């Protein structure tokens, strides 16, 4: 059986209920913060971390639910390229 794709819609993580995990539990499972999960669920692309981290989290989510997240990542990237949304800038560590 092939992978399904997340549905188009406001949020990137439309299937969290299928995991039976809370927002915090899902964040821990994906190795990210709860606010990143919340941003993805709400479609708040401007609140996502830098692109490499966004890709890692979305791919981990896809692996968890056996979803093909490539269409989703292409959609987010297209919005970035069009200047519709900007991801959070990388922050410099304290030295």
């Amino acid at each position: 059986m092939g992978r399904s794709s997340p549905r188009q819609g406001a949020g990137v993580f439309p299937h969290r209920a299928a995991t039976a995990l809370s927002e915090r539990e899902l964040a821990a499972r994906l190795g990210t913060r709860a606010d990143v999960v919340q941003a993805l669920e709400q479609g708040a692309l401007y609140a996502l971390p830098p692109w490499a981290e966004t890709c890692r989290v979305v791919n981990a989510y896809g692996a968890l639910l056996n979803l093909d997240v490539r269409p989703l990542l292409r959609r987010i990237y297209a919005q970035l390229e069009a200047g519709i949304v900007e991801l959070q800038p990388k922050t410099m560590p304290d030295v």
Side-chain angles (χ1 to χ4, degrees), residues 56-73:
R56 186 195 67 75
V57 171
V58 172
N59 278 304
Y61 177 74
L64 181 68
L65 290 180
N66 196 34
L67 296 173
D68 180 359
V69 295
R70 291 174 296 181
L72 172 63
L73 289 171

Side-chain angles (χ1 to χ4, degrees), residues 4-7 11-20 26 41 61 65 67:
S4 62
S5 295
R7 69 172 166 75
V12 174
F13 283 0
H15 303 296
R16 181 168 55 93
T19 69
L26 180 57
E41 288 181 336
Y61 177 74
L65 290 180
L67 296 173

Side-chain angles (χ1 to χ4, degrees), residues 34-91:
D35 65 299
V36 173
V37 170
Q38 187 175 44
L40 287 164
E41 288 181 336
Q42 295 175 357
L45 301 184
Y46 60 87
L48 294 177
W51 180 244
E53 177 64 5
T54 295
C55 288
R56 186 195 67 75
V57 171
V58 172
N59 278 304
Y61 177 74
L64 181 68
L65 290 180
N66 196 34
L67 296 173
D68 180 359
V69 295
R70 291 174 296 181
L72 172 63
L73 289 171
R74 282 193 292 270
R75 190 175 83 215
I76 294 170
Y77 189 77
Q79 291 183 11
L80 292 172
E81 285 293 299
I84 295 169
V85 67
E86 290 184 22
L87 298 183
Q88 295 176 11
K90 292 183 180 179
T91 55

